[in-house]
Amino acid sequence: MEIGKNSKEPITLSDIFKGFSKLSREERLKALMQAGVLENADIEYLQRGGMKDFSLGEKFIENVIGYFQMPLGVATNFRIDGRDYVVPMAVEETSIVAAASKTAKWIRDSGAISTRLIGQDIIGQIQLAKVKDFAKFEAQILKFRQLWMDLSNQEVAFGLVRRGGGVRDLVVRRVPRGDGTDMAVIHIHMNPVDAMGANIINQVCEFLKAPIEEVTGEKVTMCILSNLVDTRLTEAQVILEKIEPDLAEKIEEASLFAQQDPYRAATNNKGVLNGMDPILIATGNDWRAVEAGVHAYASRDGQYRSITEWKRDGRFLVGTLRAPIVVGTVGGVTTLHPTASMCLRMLNVESAQELSRVVAAVGLVQNLGALKALTTVGIIEGHMKLHIKNLTLAAGADEEEVPLIQKKLEEILALKKRISLSHAIEALRELRSRVQTHS
Ligand code: NAD
């Protein structure tokens, strides 16, 4: 691809995915603009370093002293449910974007990614720490259930109702306190449409506090949403057709390891989140909420397990990810943060559901890339080669020294199969003493 040769020629995402990583930053921006992913104003904004208004930070958090910058990249080659996506990723860790793009290319050539949402509703919790008679309490609540749902929709969630969402269920749970008495927890189920919905559901729960106390004579202790949203799960599936049987078997074995052993499951899920978190950050979503949900869901049967699973099915390898991924395309800072709103536009998703499906797909693809590397060349080759760049900079090499030190470190890596910062420091010391001797 020669970007910019004829700017009038329409360019598709498939076109720009070819050789994208080999382009300079300028050429990448031009390619994204030609494919209609970015606009002129976005390019100017990104060229300025991606900051519009320094005082913006003050509007988001407290005691602001500056900004923390993170690289923003794009993962290429993603075709999800038959649609091409340019996936924005804000992340500091080397090789994540490269691995996602490379693995997505593999699937693009030899398989397919499909996604779906299972359920719509998020959960709000109203806790009554001590109820005298749980059965009586439950009966009282259920009597008013429909009225309170209707009132919540009329008084608080009317904006969501107008958009096809709102409060849809009210459930009473008995939670044993461990001392023979009961705690009651009321769950409010609400479809937040395109918002993550935390603030809206918290308001619904607070709104119901007074009527609940009045009808039951019991005391509400606290109200807050739950991040374990097992009522709104996102599923991604990868089917690989052309895969060597030996590799498919190794990936299946690696997957079983992560299903059965929590020590491995934690690292496996970290690898999945390597793909998910950068999109959440780039789009201004609450990645702590998704992380909390993912880990809680991973432990749902009492043992912490992988949220992904890979199995052979005849000549196919089939991978599945299922997790609560509650995100918004409105609300929070999604539209207030200029980079987040630009990234959302770049992704071109029409709904929060579509965003969560993309996030799930990228998490699953990232997992496949990691499992392939781990069961073939190992973590060092793929990861450390790219990490060499970071070590070179950390050792203090300047622009001229960087390529020389990188070359030296690659030689050490090939020879010793390991590499560390001390190698970089030593290589730099040697280089500088050689230069001094010659000058
Ligand atoms: P929000 O408070 O900004 O509300 C979203 C707004 O968008 C609503 O007023 C709604 O009416 C409006 N809206 C416009 N178009 C809409 C559409 N198509 N669909 C749905 N709503 C639409 O945001 P929120 O989503 O309620 O809350 C998200 C924020 O809450 C995040 O910043 C998160 O960090 C924070 N939070 C999280 C937790 C947690 O996860 N435990 C707890 C508290 C707060």
Side-chain angles (χ1 to χ4, degrees):
M1 177 189 50
E2 287 186 74
I3 298 299
K5 267 211 132 181
N6 177 2
S7 60
K8 287 200 184 92
E9 228 170 80
I11 285 187
T12 65
L13 289 188
S14 286
D15 292 331
I16 73 162
F17 289 161
K18 287 177 209 137
F20 191 83
S21 63
K22 310 253 170 1
L23 300 177
S24 68
R25 199 169 68 86
E26 301 285 333
E27 288 170 324
R28 283 180 202 139
L29 291 174
K30 204 180 259 179
L32 290 169
M33 199 165 89
Q34 281 188 268
V37 176
L38 292 178
E39 294 164 6
N40 248 325
D42 299 323
I43 309 281
E44 279 167 29
Y45 171 67
L46 288 167
Q47 298 284 36
R48 283 201 311 272
M51 197 173 293
K52 228 170 214 164
D53 173 7
F54 190 75
S55 68
L56 193 65
E58 305 267 12
K59 296 184 182 116
F60 290 165
I61 65 161
E62 312 73 36
N63 299 348
V64 170
I65 55 165
Y67 280 92
F68 180 91
Q69 296 213 338
M70 204 178 295
L72 175 67
V74 293
T76 52
N77 302 318
F78 274 90
R79 179 168 287 167
I80 303 164
D81 298 313
R83 231 201 88 184
D84 287 337
Y85 289 89
V86 174
V87 180
M89 297 181 97
V91 66
E92 85 298 345
E93 190 178 339
T94 317
S95 87
I96 287 177
V97 178
S101 306
K102 191 176 161 198
T103 315
K105 168 110 181 31
W106 180 27
I107 302 166
R108 197 182 175 87
D109 294 342
S110 314
I113 309 171
S114 59
T115 60
R116 65 178 178 135
L117 213 77
I118 305 163
Q120 304 269 346
D121 298 342
I122 59 168
I123 301 170
Q125 297 193 292
I126 303 170
Q127 182 212 16
L128 295 98
K130 286 180 189 166
V131 288
K132 290 173 230 62
D133 179 345
F134 181 83
K136 185 175 158 216
F137 173 85
E138 186 178 30
Q140 287 168 323
I141 296 291
L142 293 182
K143 215 165 123 191
F144 285 85
R145 176 180 163 275
Q146 192 59 51
L147 174 71
W148 287 341
M149 281 165 42
D150 292 344
L151 268 179
S152 302
N153 280 331
Q154 280 160 28
E155 303 291 327
V156 191
F158 49 86
L160 295 180
V161 174
R162 210 173 54 237
R163 296 180 177 96
V167 174
R168 307 202 315 172
D169 205 355
L170 187 156
V171 179
V172 187
R173 292 175 56 227
R174 182 204 296 251
V175 179
R177 295 175 52 86
D179 60 2
T181 65
D182 289 317
M183 177 191 309
V185 179
I186 300 171
H187 276 197
I188 309 295
H189 293 198
M190 184 189 85
N191 177 355
V193 196
D194 290 318
M196 176 223 180
N199 290 323
I200 322 176
I201 197 142
N202 288 344
Q203 285 172 48
V204 169
C205 293
E206 296 271 357
F207 169 77
L208 291 175
K209 182 178 166 183
I212 289 169
E213 289 184 341
E214 199 179 312
V215 164
T216 63
E218 301 282 2
K219 210 81 210 108
V220 169
T221 315
M222 61 176 274
C223 303
I224 182 84
L225 85 158
S226 170
N227 289 112
L228 175 52
V229 199
D230 53 4
T231 42
R232 184 184 170 101
L233 297 171
T234 311
E235 188 182 271
Q237 189 177 66
V238 164
I239 300 182
L240 266 174
E241 196 179 347
K242 290 177 225 143
I243 178 164
E244 286 164 30
D246 184 44
L247 176 59
E249 188 184 349
K250 282 180 180 164
I251 291 174
E252 192 180 71
E253 288 301 332
S255 176
L256 185 67
F257 184 13
Q259 277 299 318
Q260 299 301 106
D261 179 7
Y263 288 91
R264 170 62 200 144
T267 324
N268 178 85
N269 289 346
K270 189 274 180 186
V272 176
L273 289 159
N274 274 347
M276 292 169 45
D277 280 345
I279 314 173
L280 300 172
I281 294 169
T283 56
N285 270 285
D286 187 337
W287 74 94
R288 288 90 52 208
V290 174
E291 290 247 359
V294 161
H295 295 305
Y297 187 70
S299 321
R300 65 196 177 282
D301 71 0
Q303 184 187 317
Y304 188 89
R305 298 180 193 278
S306 166
I307 56 159
T308 60
E309 193 160 32
W310 294 90
K311 281 205 151 116
R312 284 173 298 167
D313 183 359
R315 66 197 167 89
F316 299 101
L317 179 70
V318 181
T320 312
L321 176 152
R322 195 180 279 183
I325 304 172
V326 182
V327 292
T329 49
V330 296
V333 303
T334 53
T335 40
L336 299 178
H337 194 295
T339 313
S341 61
M342 184 194 72
C343 287
L344 275 170
R345 195 156 30 78
M346 194 191 297
L347 252 178
N348 196 18
V349 287
E350 274 167 20
S351 63
Q353 288 195 18
E354 189 179 352
L355 177 59
S356 71
R357 292 192 283 102
V358 170
V359 171
V362 178
L364 184 61
V365 170
Q366 196 84 44
N367 182 234
L368 177 64
L371 295 185
K372 184 185 178 199
L374 288 170
T375 55
T376 53
V377 291
I379 185 75
I380 302 299
E381 184 160 319
H383 197 86
M384 291 304 274
K385 263 192 183 165
L386 289 161
H387 189 52
I388 279 177
K389 265 199 235 160
N390 290 351
L391 293 179
T392 307
L393 294 174
D398 65 27
E399 222 172 287
E400 275 179 21
E401 293 163 336
V402 164
L404 300 167
I405 299 301
Q406 277 187 18
K407 191 162 175 290
K408 179 75 189 160
L409 292 183
E410 275 165 20
E411 284 165 16
I412 297 173
L413 179 64
L415 196 73
K416 300 195 171 175
K417 304 285 173 218
R418 61 188 179 82
I419 199 85
S420 69
L421 181 60
S422 49
H423 289 121
I425 293 170
E426 180 57 24
L428 187 61
R429 202 183 51 76
E430 268 177 28
L431 176 72
R432 286 182 180 168
S433 68
R434 263 206 317 275
V435 171
Q436 252 178 6
T437 321
H438 290 292
S439 57

